[in-house]
Amino acid sequence: MGEGAEAFPYGKAIATILKKAGAMERVKDWLLRRTSQDVLVLGASGGGKSSFLKVLTGRNPQISRLERTTKSELVTGKFKNSYFKLTDTPGQPGEIYQQERLRAIREASKKDGLGIINIVSYGYHEETVKISDAVENRKAKATFLEDRRDLEIKLLSEWTTSLCGEGGAAAWVITVVTKADLWWSSGEDQPVLTHYRSGPYFEALGDARSVSHDVMAFSSANQLFYGAVPMSGFYGDQQRSDHQDRLVARMLANAGQ
Ligand SMILES: Nc1nc2c(ncn2[C@@H]2O[C@H](COP(=O)(O)OP(=O)(O)O)[C@@H](O)[C@H]2O)c(=O)[nH]1
Ligand SMILES: [Mg+2]
């Protein structure tokens, strides 16, 4: 290629990650080819999909929990100079939302080399329920988090077979475990990531385990859960920025495969 890092539109930090991973040349080729990468963004309502997409497209990620996504939509915000076509989806349980989601999944099944980003947040789903359903004494209710983690697992069955099974459209899946500001713990060991990498969630991935799959920590912003539960206190701005860079680098590396 012979070009310096300046020619790479995503900045130095992401360039460094890609070089370290030995993926930089392929990514540059992909950028030159200008082929687009379709990405379907899935996950339960309140898990953080729309905020995640706002971060990727350079907008303020904070969204009111009462402001829900009701239609699947192509996110057209400028993702630097890239060719990612990201589709946001509604994650609500109601029949009409499920139909809307299944429509987006069917639409995505026609694509070539589809990317799937499944957004989860260890059950920290912030949406339209009463605060008292989710919070008690300024702590997230354990039963609420458990129920929502079960829902994260249940939702997998809507797409893993059709998109990742034999002849499916998906080339890669990234499970983005967002809201790390709420669940990040001290020390090296991150039990939340273990749940997704080798625990019950991983077990339930089914056919999605046969395509390229990564589990990555993420956070869009600091936000008190339901305006009441504080952040864990172990997650800083530098880490957020690192996680965001790593995620974009992974998306680029996957697109360039
Ligand atoms: N603490 C925290 N809250 C977040 C994060 N990402 C999103 N939220 C909040 O969680 C709520 C639901 O997010 P949203 O993106 O609408 O979820 P969606 O239903 O999956 O699209 C909103 O109030 C967001 O501001 C995060 O990384 N950390
Ligand atoms: Mg949304």
Side-chain angles (χ1 to χ4, degrees):
M1 305 244 101
E3 289 157 332
E6 317 81 72
F8 179 72
Y10 294 89
K12 262 201 174 140
I14 292 174
T16 307
I17 298 168
L18 287 171
K19 280 180 195 153
K20 254 191 174 162
M24 189 56 157
E25 291 310 308
R26 272 203 318 266
V27 169
K28 280 188 173 172
D29 281 346
W30 176 69
L31 290 170
L32 284 174
R33 284 202 304 277
R34 296 165 183 266
T35 40
S36 61
Q37 167 71 67
D38 291 290
V39 180
L40 183 62
V41 179
L42 294 166
S45 182
K49 296 176 296 296
S50 299
S51 299
F52 162 82
L53 285 166
K54 288 196 171 197
V55 169
L56 283 198
T57 54
R59 294 170 293 159
N60 177 356
Q62 243 112 10
I63 296 175
S64 160
R65 69 185 178 88
L66 303 175
E67 194 188 308
R68 301 295 78 219
T69 307
T70 55
K71 291 263 179 227
S72 50
E73 57 176 357
L74 194 64
V75 175
T76 48
K78 198 160 156 264
F79 187 178
K80 292 178 183 150
N81 302 337
S82 83
Y83 307 101
F84 286 102
K85 285 192 192 157
L86 304 147
T87 301
D88 196 2
T89 59
Q92 292 90 316
E95 173 78 18
I96 49 164
Y97 303 113
Q98 189 191 33
Q99 286 311 322
E100 176 67 13
R101 214 155 50 233
L102 293 176
R103 203 188 53 72
I105 291 168
R106 264 196 312 277
E107 207 48 49
S109 72
K110 300 173 194 158
K111 312 285 184 189
D112 242 0
L114 176 74
I116 297 170
I117 291 191
N118 193 43
I119 302 278
V120 293
S121 51
Y122 206 54
Y124 284 94
H125 302 172
E126 187 168 351
E127 33 93 2
T128 55
V129 298
K130 290 198 304 288
I131 296 177
S132 60
D133 288 349
V135 177
E136 195 170 52
N137 300 326
R138 301 186 68 232
K139 276 187 148 170
K141 274 188 179 172
T143 49
F144 177 85
L145 296 181
E146 281 159 21
D147 286 352
R148 293 316 183 98
R149 288 202 288 274
D150 286 347
L151 177 62
E152 290 176 352
I153 287 174
K154 205 171 128 233
L155 285 171
L156 293 173
S157 64
E158 289 186 348
W159 55 271
T160 48
T161 306
S162 61
L163 295 180
C164 305
E166 187 80 40
W172 53 266
V173 176
I174 304 175
T175 293
V176 172
V177 193
T178 190
K179 310 205 187 189
D181 53 294
L182 296 174
W183 56 258
W184 197 260
S185 57
S186 63
E188 289 290 297
D189 188 39
Q190 295 297 326
V192 167
L193 293 179
T194 307
H195 168 79
Y196 293 101
R197 286 190 173 135
S198 55
Y201 174 91
F202 179 75
E203 295 298 327
L205 276 171
D207 288 319
R209 287 158 61 171
S210 60
V211 302
S212 154
H213 176 240
D214 292 281
V215 173
M216 304 186 77
F218 195 87
S219 169
S220 295
N222 289 329
Q223 182 174 300
L224 299 174
F225 186 57
Y226 288 85
V229 181
M231 279 69 74
S232 74
F234 296 107
Y235 195 80
D237 290 342
Q238 183 57 50
Q239 201 155 20
R240 170 176 294 111
S241 148
D242 284 350
H243 283 155
Q244 293 182 354
D245 286 344
R246 274 192 242 173
L247 196 272
V248 174
R250 170 55 59 192
M251 288 174 70
L252 285 164
N254 286 354
Q257 280 291 347

